[in-house]
Amino acid sequence: MTYSTAPKKIAGGTSIFMDSLRIVAALVVFLGHGYAQWFTTVGYNYNGVDWGHMAVVIFFALSGYVIAYSTTANNRGLLQYTQARLSRLYSVVIPTLLITALIEIVVKLSDPALLAHYTRGVSWPRYIISGLFLNEVWFLSASPPINGPLWSLSYEFWYYVVFGLFFFRTKGWKGLLLPLAACLIAGPKILLMMPIWLLGNCAYRFKSPIKNHGLSWLLITVMIGIAITLFCILPGYPLHLGKAPLFFAGQFITDFIIGVFVALALWMLPQYDNKEVKKTSPVVNLIRKFADLTFPLYVLHDPMLVLVRSVWKTRLFDVTQFTIAMLIVFTATMVIGSIMEQNRKHWTSFFKKVLQKGKTLSLAKANT
């Protein structure tokens, strides 16, 4: 493999593919959790084929790829990297935690028995821990009880931290102390899944050997097909998902094998020059906007599904009720997600001021 020093462009068919992959993965999680609410009597069953978990594997690989792109094509230093990552996460996570807490209160009043199915002791510490992205460190698994998908955000946060501290490190062995400290705080669960994220990062940084676009897309289709097939036939190894002490990292070996083929698909993505990239069409813009809203969809759908169940007496295996409920939740998350996207600039401005002030104080302290 050849390491590419020139930044790759995420444009043309490559951009459409990545946005579409994000959309499909988010919808798979959404439909899977909806199915678990209406078409099973035991709730989530991690002993079966959990398509939502494969979607998270795809998210991790995609995240690594995109971060490699942003730090290569638009490298503005650690301060701007931190600002971008924090504003992106907190613009969604803080509203999500507030909405989830409000929904939990409503469910407690409208259907205490349903909430009892989710709660595991006092809930409020989980919101604080999740807001600090500490809900999955070491052998902890402490997302808010009605919003399980937040587990993966803790993983993502620590991947950003570890990578950022390593990528922007100072020269010499002392430059490794901060990323090593971050690894120590994150703990083994998060680190066991990090190779998937790093595979996505490498997929961007290494030059694809395939020059023909048609052959590239054929091989990408094959790689994704192999990943899906392996997910269906491979047992979860070494442990089942959701089981202590590794919880959602339980089948990290199986996930890594699948992640290899997802990363290979990303590695083979064709690169388009300016002549090949036509003017962006309305359809492409729509796909991109929808892809941006998959983040709010991912983090909000679970508590909203529980809310619908609490105010509308659930009829298990009722296709009509299930369909209406899914449409209600989907519409609500799109509206709330649009508001989150509009307010993201305020979070960016906030973190810019905070980090700049911190930098100024640090410089002043160093000069005294």
Side-chain angles (χ1 to χ4, degrees), residues 33-238:
H33 287 171
Y35 178 88
Q37 295 275 6
W38 264 269
F39 293 96
T40 66
T41 57
V42 294
Y44 303 125
N45 180 13
Y46 295 112
N47 292 323
V49 177
D50 181 9
W51 289 102
H53 188 74
M54 180 177 178
V56 174
V57 171
I58 292 173
F59 283 140
F60 284 168
L62 276 172
S63 174
Y65 191 95
V66 171
I67 295 301
Y69 165 76
S70 66
T71 52
T72 301
N74 192 24
N75 184 0
R76 293 177 294 168
L78 179 60
L79 198 67
Q80 284 73 20
Y81 171 84
T82 304
Q83 174 189 313
R85 302 281 66 77
L86 289 177
S87 61
R88 177 56 176 158
L89 285 171
Y90 275 114
S91 65
V92 174
V93 170
I94 294 299
T96 293
L97 288 173
L98 293 174
I99 292 169
T100 303
L102 181 61
I103 289 175
E104 185 174 339
I105 294 171
V106 173
V107 175
K108 185 176 182 179
L109 296 173
S110 60
D111 194 341
L114 178 62
L115 185 63
H117 177 74
Y118 292 92
T119 52
R120 301 181 297 277
V122 181
S123 294
W124 66 263
R126 296 175 181 270
Y127 289 90
I128 297 174
I129 293 171
S130 297
L132 297 173
F133 299 103
L134 297 172
N135 48 307
E136 290 291 329
V137 298
W138 281 82
F139 301 114
L140 191 66
S141 187
S143 297
I146 59 173
N147 201 338
L150 288 179
W151 72 267
S152 64
L153 267 63
S154 179
Y155 282 61
E156 284 274 4
F157 173 82
W158 289 103
Y159 297 157
Y160 295 157
V161 172
V162 173
F163 173 80
L165 291 175
F166 179 81
F167 187 82
F168 296 103
R169 72 190 184 281
T170 57
K171 293 182 179 180
W173 65 269
K174 291 184 179 179
L176 297 174
L177 293 179
L178 285 177
L180 287 175
C183 289
L184 186 61
I185 296 172
K189 282 197 293 93
I190 292 173
L191 296 181
L192 285 172
M193 295 286 280
M194 192 169 184
I196 299 169
W197 193 92
L198 292 174
L199 283 173
N201 199 282
C202 291
Y204 176 85
R205 297 184 184 281
F206 286 91
K207 190 176 182 180
S208 172
I210 312 299
K211 303 297 183 182
N212 183 279
H213 290 185
L215 180 59
S216 291
W217 288 116
L218 175 61
L219 292 174
I220 289 167
T221 303
V222 171
M223 293 301 108
I224 295 296
I226 292 174
I228 293 172
T229 302
L230 289 175
F231 190 80
C232 292
I233 65 175
L234 288 180
Y237 190 80

Side-chain angles (χ1 to χ4, degrees), residues 192-193 234-239 249-259:
L192 285 172
M193 295 286 280
L234 288 180
Y237 190 80
L239 301 170
Q251 62 176 46
F252 67 92
I253 293 179
T254 301
D255 290 340
F256 176 77
I257 295 171
I258 295 164

